[in-house]
Amino acid sequence: AQKVTQAQTEISVVEKEDVTLDCVYETRDTTYYLFWYKQPPSGELVFLIRRNSFDEQNEISGRYSWNFQKSTSSFNFTITASQVVDSAVYFCALSEVFKAAGNKLTFGGGTRVLVKP
Amino acid sequence: NAGVTQTPKFQVLKTGQSMTLQCAQDMNHNSMYWYRQDPGMGLRLIYYSASEGTTDKGEVPNGYNVSRLNKREFSLRLESAAPSQTSVYFCASSHTGIRVYTFGSGTRLTVV
């Protein structure tokens, strides 16, 4: 069975500080995808990144960066120079592959990030 | 650019009442999903439909039924609502082979 663990339930930082969100996953699949989603206070789910299991390159997008380490089954997310608008719940997720079609996402419990001015 | 549309956005039910949550997507996606979100537990899969005409149970299917009415629509029914079903429900869809999900805006359901 797939499992995603986000050990940090809540992180509070002061604006401009960096914050790193941990994500550890378990899967028996050799092919899988990892995701990060942001859920702002308005409630919608905002897609941030998708990474496949064959691509271990780290990725940077503006103030966001992701560190994928297959050897430790981790896919950590860093927000550099945090801003108040980064306050949200962040979810890490893992997809397995159906035999037929489509795929299912397994979510971690989420990490609430509070950025104080 | 509607994407995934869920109705209603809010609902209050009394214990024992029934209701159907509606979901429709206009992206020609093959797969559709229903998740529930509870505090501290992330999103948990209730049911999914890998393609039109098929449905399967997810992690927490008890107390729910689904119907994949056609390729666009996937409904979730609560036959006899219970307070434990108080949650936020999200519908999502994805294209076969493309690992990108599109989520609806959610339905906040309260069972009293």
Side-chain angles (χ1 to χ4, degrees), chain B residues 7-27:
Chain B
T7 56
K9 293 190 183 304
F10 301 94
Q11 184 71 49
V12 178
L13 290 179
K14 293 182 179 179
T15 297
Q17 285 186 319
S18 63
M19 80 160 294
T20 299
L21 280 62
Q22 306 286 351
C23 175
Q25 52 92 8
D26 62 1
M27 297 166 288

Side-chain angles (χ1 to χ4, degrees), chain B residues 16-51:
Chain B
Q17 285 186 319
S18 63
M19 80 160 294
T20 299
L21 280 62
Q22 306 286 351
C23 175
Q25 52 92 8
D26 62 1
M27 297 166 288
N28 202 36
H29 285 171
N30 293 322
S31 303
M32 299 186 73
Y33 315 81
W34 276 105
Y35 286 87
R36 61 177 288 174
Q37 181 182 11
D38 301 295
M41 303 186 76
L43 281 77
R44 292 180 294 169
L45 184 65
I46 305 171
Y47 271 93
Y48 64 94
S49 171
S51 60

Side-chain angles (χ1 to χ4, degrees), chain A residues 35 39 50 102-105, chain B residues 31 33 35 37 99-101:
Chain A
F35 301 77
Q39 187 177 46
R50 176 191 66 201
N103 56 90
K104 299 184 287 184
L105 269 180
Chain B
S31 303
Y33 315 81
Y35 286 87
Q37 181 182 11
R99 304 318 193 250
V100 175
Y101 281 65

Side-chain angles (χ1 to χ4, degrees), chain A residues 31 33 35 37 39 42-45 47 50 89 91 94-98 100-110, chain B residues 30-31 33 35 37 40-45 48-51 57 90 94-101 103-105:
Chain A
T31 303
Y33 284 78
F35 301 77
Y37 285 87
Q39 187 177 46
S42 52
E44 74 273 22
L45 286 161
F47 167 77
R50 176 191 66 201
V89 180
F91 292 101
L94 168 72
S95 77
E96 67 175 18
V97 180
F98 295 159
N103 56 90
K104 299 184 287 184
L105 269 180
T106 299
F107 284 84
Chain B
N30 293 322
S31 303
Y33 315 81
Y35 286 87
Q37 181 182 11
M41 303 186 76
L43 281 77
R44 292 180 294 169
L45 184 65
Y48 64 94
S49 171
S51 60
K57 295 178 180 179
F90 285 95
S94 70
H95 193 285
T96 302
I98 298 176
R99 304 318 193 250
V100 175
Y101 281 65
F103 283 85
S105 57

Side-chain angles (χ1 to χ4, degrees), chain A residues 31-87:
Chain A
T31 303
Y32 52 89
Y33 284 78
L34 296 162
F35 301 77
W36 277 94
Y37 285 87
K38 174 182 179 180
Q39 187 177 46
S42 52
E44 74 273 22
L45 286 161
V46 178
F47 167 77
L48 295 178
I49 190 173
R50 176 191 66 201
R51 172 69 64 198
N52 74 55
S53 54
F54 296 114
D55 182 0
E56 292 194 63
Q57 284 191 345
N58 293 330
E59 183 159 339
I60 298 173
S61 177
R63 296 183 297 106
Y64 294 170
S65 62
W66 291 270
N67 183 356
F68 177 29
Q69 301 227 341
K70 205 169 179 178
S71 59
T72 57
S73 298
S74 65
F75 187 42
N76 297 336
F77 172 33
T78 297
I79 302 172
T80 302
S82 60
Q83 300 176 1
V84 172
V85 293
D86 295 326
S87 296

